[in-house]
C-alpha cells in the first residue's frame, strides 16, 4: 500500500505538546507524519511549506493554538492568513487543496492529533503521491544565485 | 592582453535586453572601444559556425539573455558555455525565468492547443501546429523542439554571474563591464546588484507606517495613486519588500508598484513565497470570512508574486500531472 509522507509543523505550546500527550497516552495513529516543532505557528514561513513539497512531502499539516490562545498574541492569525493565500497559490500550481491543512489543537487535545493525522493520511492516500517537477541532475545550478 | 572578447545571445525573451545594451547610449562607444564583440546575432553578422570554430574559453564573457524554452536555446547556451571564460545571465528571464517563465503554468500541449487551435485566426489553415521535422520537396526542414518547461539559464549551464532586471539598467550593465575590465568581480555566483530590499532605496520608504496594516487591496487602475506615499500603505501591492534593489525604484518613481523584476535578495530562496508571506502578514483581518474576502482581490497569485521567477521557484512549474485539469 502507498504510504504518504506528511510533514507536520506544530507550535511548541499547543499542538506539539498535544502530539506528545498522544504519545505518552499510547494512542495509536498513522505513522505517516514527520513532526517539526516551531515556537509558534506564526513562525511558519510559506517557504517551509513549498520546500516540504519540493523535497517530497505529499502533504503538509500546520498546527497552532486555538484563536485567541497564541502565546505571542497574533501568530496563529498570521498563519491562518498565510494558509489561505498559499491555498490559492497551490490551486494555480496544480496541487490539490487537501495536501495542505491547518488545525488548531490545544495541549490537551491528544485525541485530535490522532484524528487529524489519521484523516489526512487517508485523504492523501486517496490522492496518491505528489510529483513535483524535478530539475534533472544536469540541469541543477552549478553555482547558486546569491 | 588584447581587448576582452565579448558575446551577446538572445534566448526566450522579448528583445528588451538587447535594447538595454543599445540604451547605454553614448557610453556604448566606450564599451565598444574597450571590448571586441565576437558574436551578437541581433546586431552583427556572425554565425553559429564562427562560435563553433573558436577555441574553448576563447570568449572572455558571454552575456546571455532570455530563458530556455527551445532545444536550440539549450544548444547555443551550451556552446557559448564551452567557449567562454565567464557566462553572465543577463536580465530577469535568464536569471529567474522571467515573463516567459509564466508559461510553466501550462505545458507544450496546452500551449499549442491554445495558440494553434483555439485562438481565432485569419488563416484558413488554423489548426496546423509546428513539428520538429517536415518533408518538403527540397528536403527535410527542421524546427527546434519546444519544451514543456521553461528553465532559467543556470538550470541549463553553469552560470557565473547574474545581471538582474527586466531589463537590467544601463548603470548596472556599465558597472558590470567596468568590473570585468578592471578584474574586480565579486565571488562567482553573485547577482551584480546590491543585496538589500528595494524599500531600502525607495524614496517613499519614510512614509511607510511603522505598523502597516491592509484593510483593502487595490489594483493600480482602481485608485488615484498618491505619488508621495508608500504604495503598500495605499493598499496597492508592491513587491518592494521582497525584491532586490539596484533599479533605484524605477517603477515606483513612475508611480507604479514594483512587480519584482530584480528577483529576491540572497537570503530569500523563493521570492513569491516571501512576498506572499509579507502580504498575508499585514492583512488586518483575523476572521476567515474577512480574510477570504480580501484575498479574493488577489486574482492571480502566481502572476503577482512570481511574475518573473516561476521557473526559479521551489515548485518551478504547475504540477504536470494536473496541467490539463481546469486552470
Ligand atoms: S513597498 Fe514599494 S512604495 Fe513602499 S517603500 Fe517599498 S518599494 Fe517603496
Ligand atoms: S521597481 Fe521593481 S519591477 Fe520596477 S525595475 Fe525596479 S525591481 Fe523591476
Ligand atoms: S504560540 Fe501556538 S500558535 Fe502562537
Amino acid at each position: 500500500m502507498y504510504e504518504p509522507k506528511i510533514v507536520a509543523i506544530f507550535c511548541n505550546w499547543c499542538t506539539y505538546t498535544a502530539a506528545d500527550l498522544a504519545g505518552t497516552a499510547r494512542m495509536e495513529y498513522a505513522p505517516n507524519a514527520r513532526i517539526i516543532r516551531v515556537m509558534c505557528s506564526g513562525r511558519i514561513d510559506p517557504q517551509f511549506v513549498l520546500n516540504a513539497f519540493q523535497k517530497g512531502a505529499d502533504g503538509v499539516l500546520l498546527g497552532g493554538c486555538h484563536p485567541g490562545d497564541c502565546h505571542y498574541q497574533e501568530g496563529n492569525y498570521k498563519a491562518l492568513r498565510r494558509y489561505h493565500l498559499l491555498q490559492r497559490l497551490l490551486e494555480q500550481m496544480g496541487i490539490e487543496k487537501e495536501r495542505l491543512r491547518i488545525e488548531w489543537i490545544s495541549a490537551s487535545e491528544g485525541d485530535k492529533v490522532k484524528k487529524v493525522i489519521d484523516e489526512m493520511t487517508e485523504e492523501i492516500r486517496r490522492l496518491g503521491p505528489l510529483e513535483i517537477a524535478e530539475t534533472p541532475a544536469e540541469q541543477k545550478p552549478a553555482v547558486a544565485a546569491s | 592582453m588584447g581587448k576582452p572578447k565579448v558575446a551577446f545571445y538572445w534566448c526566450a525573451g522579448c528583445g528588451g535586453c538587447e535594447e538595454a545594451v543599445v540604451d547605454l547610449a553614448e557610453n556604448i562607444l566606450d564599451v565598444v572601444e574597450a571590448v571586441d564583440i565576437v558574436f551578437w546575432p541581433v546586431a552583427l553578422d556572425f554565425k553559429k559556425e564562427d562560435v563553433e570554430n573558436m577555441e574553448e574559453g576563447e570568449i572572455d564573457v558571454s552575456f546571455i539573455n532570455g530563458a530556455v524554452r527551445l532545444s536550440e536555446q539549450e544548444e547555443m547556451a551550451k556552446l557559448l558555455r564551452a567557449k567562454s571564460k565567464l557566462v553572465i545571465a543577463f536580465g530577469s528571464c535568464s536569471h529567474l525565468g522571467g515573463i516567459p517563465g509564466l508559461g510553466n503554468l501550462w505545458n507544450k500541449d496546452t500551449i499549442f492547443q491554445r495558440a494553434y487551435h483555439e485562438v481565432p485566426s485569419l488563416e484558413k489553415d488554423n489548426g496546423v501546429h509546428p513539428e520538429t521535422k517536415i518533408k518538403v520537396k527540397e528536403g527535410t526542414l527542421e524546427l527546434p523542439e519546444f519544451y514543456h518547461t521553461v528553465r532559467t539559464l543556470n538550470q541549463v549551464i553553469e552560470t557565473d554571474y547574474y545581471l538582474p532586471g527586466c531589463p537590467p539598467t544601463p548603470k548596472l550593465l556599465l558597472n558590470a563591464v567596468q568590473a570585468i575590465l578592471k578584474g574586480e568581480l565579486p565571488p562567482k555566483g553573485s547577482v551584480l546588484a546590491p543585496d538589500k530590499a528595494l524599500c531600502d532605496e525607495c524614496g517613499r520608504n519614510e512614509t511607510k507606517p511603522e505598523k502597516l496594516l491592509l484593510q483593502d487591496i487595490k489594483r493600480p487602475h482602481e485608485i488615484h495613486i498618491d505619488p508621495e506615499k508608500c504604495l503598500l500603505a495605499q493598499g496597492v501591492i508592491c513587491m518592494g519588500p521582497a525584491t532586490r534593489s539596484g533599479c533605484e525604484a524605477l517603477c515606483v518613481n513612475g508611480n507604479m508598484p514594483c512587480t519584482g523584476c530584480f528577483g529576491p535578495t540572497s537570503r530569500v530562496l523563493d521570492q513569491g513565497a516571501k512576498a506572499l508571506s509579507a502580504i498575508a502578514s499585514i492583512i488586518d483581518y483575523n476572521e476567515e470570512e474577512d480574510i477570504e474576502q480580501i484575498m479574493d482581490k488577489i486574482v492571480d497569485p502566481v502572476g503577482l508574486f512570481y511574475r518573473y521567477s516561476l521557473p526559479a521557484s521551489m515548485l518551478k512549474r504547475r504540477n504536470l500531472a494536473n496541467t490539463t485539469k481546469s486552470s
Side-chain angles (χ1 to χ4, degrees):
Chain A
M1 191 165 56
Y2 155 64
E3 290 299 340
K5 283 197 281 293
I6 297 174
V7 170
I9 312 177
F10 288 168
C11 158
N12 175 55
W13 303 106
C14 48
T15 317
Y16 191 85
T17 314
D20 226 13
L21 180 69
T24 43
R26 298 183 173 275
M27 289 178 195
E28 270 188 38
Y29 59 94
N32 302 59
R34 278 72 163 168
I35 302 176
I36 296 169
R37 177 168 56 158
V38 289
M39 286 310 277
C40 171
S41 63
R43 175 65 184 90
I44 304 171
D45 185 321
Q47 291 183 99
F48 299 174
V49 175
L50 300 185
N51 200 217
F53 284 130
Q54 180 197 25
K55 297 258 164 72
D58 302 302
V60 179
L61 172 62
L62 313 177
C65 306
H66 283 268
D69 290 348
C70 171
H71 288 228
Y72 310 93
Q73 317 278 346
E74 296 253 322
N76 49 2
Y77 292 123
K78 245 182 211 180
L80 181 66
R81 296 193 294 255
R82 289 177 181 149
Y83 160 83
H84 280 288
L85 205 43
L86 264 171
Q87 279 294 16
R88 285 157 191 256
L89 177 78
L90 293 180
E91 190 195 339
Q92 253 185 316
M93 296 299 285
I95 295 178
E96 300 87 348
K97 67 173 189 312
E98 293 80 3
R99 295 192 189 271
L100 175 64
R101 183 164 170 169
I102 193 164
E103 288 292 339
W104 309 136
I105 304 176
S106 74
S108 60
E109 294 176 305
D111 50 333
K112 191 167 175 188
V113 171
K114 167 186 159 59
K115 179 174 158 281
V116 166
I117 291 180
D118 282 347
E119 257 175 35
M120 193 168 173
T121 304
E122 276 324 302
E123 242 160 17
I124 292 177
R125 208 193 301 279
R126 261 199 308 281
L127 288 175
L130 174 65
E131 279 160 39
I132 294 291
E134 249 305 307
T135 312
E138 44 127 353
Q139 299 173 3
K140 284 256 163 65
V143 184
S146 80
Chain B
M1 186 180 98
K3 290 186 195 175
K5 292 186 177 167
V6 171
F8 293 98
Y9 195 69
W10 175 356
C11 293
C14 67
C17 282
E18 301 280 352
E19 196 62 46
V21 178
V22 182
D23 271 352
L24 285 173
E26 60 275 12
N27 285 324
I28 198 168
L29 298 176
D30 300 337
V31 173
V32 170
E33 186 86 332
V35 304
D36 188 6
I37 299 175
V38 293
F39 187 60
W40 192 11
V42 83
L44 302 167
D45 189 20
F46 292 109
K47 301 283 185 252
K48 185 181 171 200
E49 291 75 45
D50 300 321
V51 182
E52 281 168 341
N53 290 333
M54 292 177 192
E55 304 286 319
E56 282 200 11
E58 187 177 329
I59 304 171
D60 291 282
V61 193
S62 281
F63 291 91
I64 302 181
N65 70 71
V68 178
R69 158 63 92 188
L70 303 174
S71 55
E72 177 201 29
Q73 292 154 351
E74 176 164 13
E75 203 179 305
M76 286 304 296
K78 287 182 172 162
L79 175 64
L80 285 166
R81 175 69 272 183
K83 306 292 180 181
S84 311
K85 291 195 189 75
L86 290 179
V87 170
I88 302 188
F90 189 94
S92 307
C93 300
S94 181
H95 176 202
L96 304 163
I99 301 282
L102 288 172
N104 284 358
L105 286 175
W106 292 272
N107 63 12
K108 174 183 166 177
D109 304 330
T110 50
I111 291 171
F112 276 23
Q113 180 62 25
R114 178 80 190 140
Y116 298 104
H117 300 275
E118 289 168 13
V119 291
S121 167
L122 292 173
E123 297 275 332
K124 68 175 184 337
D125 288 342
N126 193 18
V128 176
H129 65 234
E131 300 291 341
T132 48
K133 277 198 172 77
I134 183 162
K135 276 208 175 68
V136 292
K137 70 173 183 305
E138 292 82 0
T140 304
L141 297 178
E142 282 185 38
L143 279 178
E145 188 178 334
F146 186 101
Y147 294 137
H148 279 306
T149 302
V150 173
R151 284 176 289 162
T152 63
L153 189 63
N154 75 3
Q155 287 167 353
V156 177
I157 57 168
E158 185 177 328
T159 304
D160 301 303
Y161 295 101
Y162 304 82
L163 262 170
C166 185
T169 58
K171 185 168 165 185
L172 281 188
L173 173 55
L174 213 54
N175 284 348
V177 171
Q178 271 154 5
I180 294 165
L181 292 174
K182 289 194 211 135
E184 287 173 358
L185 281 162
K188 279 202 181 179
S190 300
V191 175
L192 303 176
D195 199 11
K196 292 182 299 187
L198 178 67
C199 293
D200 270 17
E201 68 175 1
C202 173
R204 301 190 192 190
N205 205 12
E206 291 163 15
T207 68
K208 192 174 349 158
E210 188 86 0
K211 194 163 168 31
L212 181 56
L213 290 171
L214 292 184
Q215 279 92 31
D216 199 3
I217 288 174
K218 299 272 194 235
R219 299 176 74 192
H221 64 276
E222 294 173 331
I223 56 164
H224 282 288
I225 301 175
D226 178 336
E228 310 281 316
K229 215 169 131 195
C230 166
L231 285 137
L232 261 184
Q234 302 182 57
V236 176
I237 296 194
C238 182
M239 289 282 285
T243 301
R244 186 186 284 265
S245 60
C247 68
E248 299 171 67
L250 271 179
C251 298
V252 178
N253 291 339
N255 212 20
M256 287 297 279
C258 170
T259 51
C261 79
F262 267 51
T265 58
S266 65
R267 291 167 298 284
V268 174
L269 296 172
D270 188 295
Q271 185 185 18
K274 179 77 194 168
L276 178 151
S277 178
I279 298 302
S281 314
I282 59 172
I283 285 176
D284 196 16
Y285 297 104
N286 292 337
E287 297 301 323
E288 287 202 272
E289 215 174 290
D290 302 330
I291 295 173
E292 292 276 8
Q293 210 169 6
I294 186 165
M295 283 181 187
D296 281 344
K297 304 210 169 169
I298 301 177
V299 289
D300 173 14
V302 172
L304 181 64
F305 299 125
Y306 292 97
R307 185 163 309 172
Y308 306 90
S309 68
L310 188 56
S313 71
M314 286 178 179
L315 299 178
K316 296 186 185 71
R317 58 159 301 115
R318 181 174 162 89
N319 191 353
L320 259 179
N322 290 340
T323 29
T324 45
K325 287 190 201 159
S326 69
S327 103

